[in-house]
Amino acid sequence: MDSEKKAISEIAAAIAHEVKNPIALVSANIDLMELKDKNKVYENNYIMMRRELSKINELMMDFINLTEPFAEEGETVYLYPILAEFSEIYAAASNERIKINLLIKNKAVKVNGKEKSLRILFSNIIKNAVEAIEGTGFVNIELKEDRNFIVLEFKDSGKGICEKVKSKIGEKHFTTKKYGSGLGILICRKIAEEHRGDFTLCNWEGGCSAVVRLPKP
């Protein structure tokens, strides 16, 4: 099974490499056409083409993240700096209309794992939380500890998950986003489980809550 996963990962990386060059070429030609279009006649077309190229690129990255094998040898990963970084990035991306509150007292908390994977996990969760909020709102990131696990809870002030959608979340290709790949939740669960933890989604009275449990080192 490990050799099969490795083969799938290598194929995914090869496909991504082959797709990368055409995307770059098409993007460069869009820039050239836009430069020559002095009267901006086809401006909406350029926007649409760039959006679709971005969608292809994100889909390839999601596929790679989903198929990439997990390296068993871990490293010490400090969680607070990663969470602080992404909180700042996504708050800025929302033009500060969404406040991201880090309610973490222990800034030295750490786990044993793969930093690259955990960065993908936290980035996905915070990004999804921000995108779930219409207008102004907040995302609270809380950290709790029990005897065996570090528990991170991401609570957003969005609409929450309706019952019709809840049963389908995590299925391949299912997404409520107009340009989503439907792989985000699968990736989050995969990364958490590879770290011998888990990932769950549920509603709270003010929106949606994503909970990640990771074992203590």
Side-chain angles (χ1 to χ4, degrees), residues 79-189:
L79 301 182
Y80 185 85
I82 299 173
L83 295 168
E85 177 187 340
F86 287 126
S87 297
E88 185 177 338
I89 288 171
Y90 288 112
S94 73
N95 293 319
E96 305 299 332
R97 66 179 175 84
I98 296 170
K99 301 298 181 185
I100 302 180
N101 306 306
L102 277 177
L103 309 177
I104 300 176
K105 294 181 180 179
N106 182 4
K107 296 182 180 181
V109 68
K110 59 188 177 182
V111 297
N112 187 59
K114 187 177 178 183
E115 181 172 344
K116 178 184 174 183
S117 296
L118 291 173
R119 291 178 71 85
I120 292 169
L121 171 63
F122 298 141
S123 176
N124 273 345
I125 293 173
I126 298 172
K127 179 175 179 286
N128 287 341
V130 168
E131 290 177 348
I133 300 170
E134 296 179 359
T136 59
F138 65 85
V139 179
N140 287 343
I141 304 174
E142 300 180 54
L143 186 150
K144 303 171 185 177
E145 297 183 53
D146 61 25
R147 191 170 67 177
N148 299 314
F149 287 90
I150 290 164
V151 183
L152 287 162
E153 184 172 15
F154 302 76
K155 298 172 76 172
D156 68 58
S157 59
K159 292 182 177 180
I161 310 168
C162 70
E163 291 301 320
K164 186 177 180 181
V165 169
K166 191 182 294 183
S167 62
K168 295 184 178 180
I169 287 178
E171 292 181 6
K172 288 182 180 179
H173 311 306
F174 174 78
T175 178
T176 57
K177 297 179 183 178
K178 189 173 181 181
Y179 302 110
S181 68
L183 298 177
I185 301 301
L186 286 174
I187 292 168
C188 288
R189 284 181 177 164

Side-chain angles (χ1 to χ4, degrees), residues 31-92:
D31 293 340
L32 182 60
M33 288 188 294
E34 187 173 25
L35 189 64
K36 291 183 177 181
D37 185 13
K38 303 295 184 182
N39 296 320
K40 305 293 182 182
V41 177
Y42 301 106
E43 185 173 8
N44 288 336
N45 298 82
Y46 305 137
I47 293 171
M48 180 270 292
M49 286 188 286
R50 287 196 178 96
R51 185 183 64 213
E52 293 304 309
L53 287 176
S54 177
K55 182 180 176 182
I56 293 171
N57 189 58
E58 288 185 13
L59 180 61
M60 288 306 308
M61 291 307 301
D62 282 347
F63 183 53
I64 289 172
N65 291 334
L66 192 60
T67 58
E68 186 175 26
F70 183 70
E72 291 297 331
E73 61 277 9
E75 57 187 326
T76 299
V77 182
Y78 289 89
L79 301 182
Y80 185 85
I82 299 173
L83 295 168
E85 177 187 340
F86 287 126
S87 297
E88 185 177 338
I89 288 171
Y90 288 112

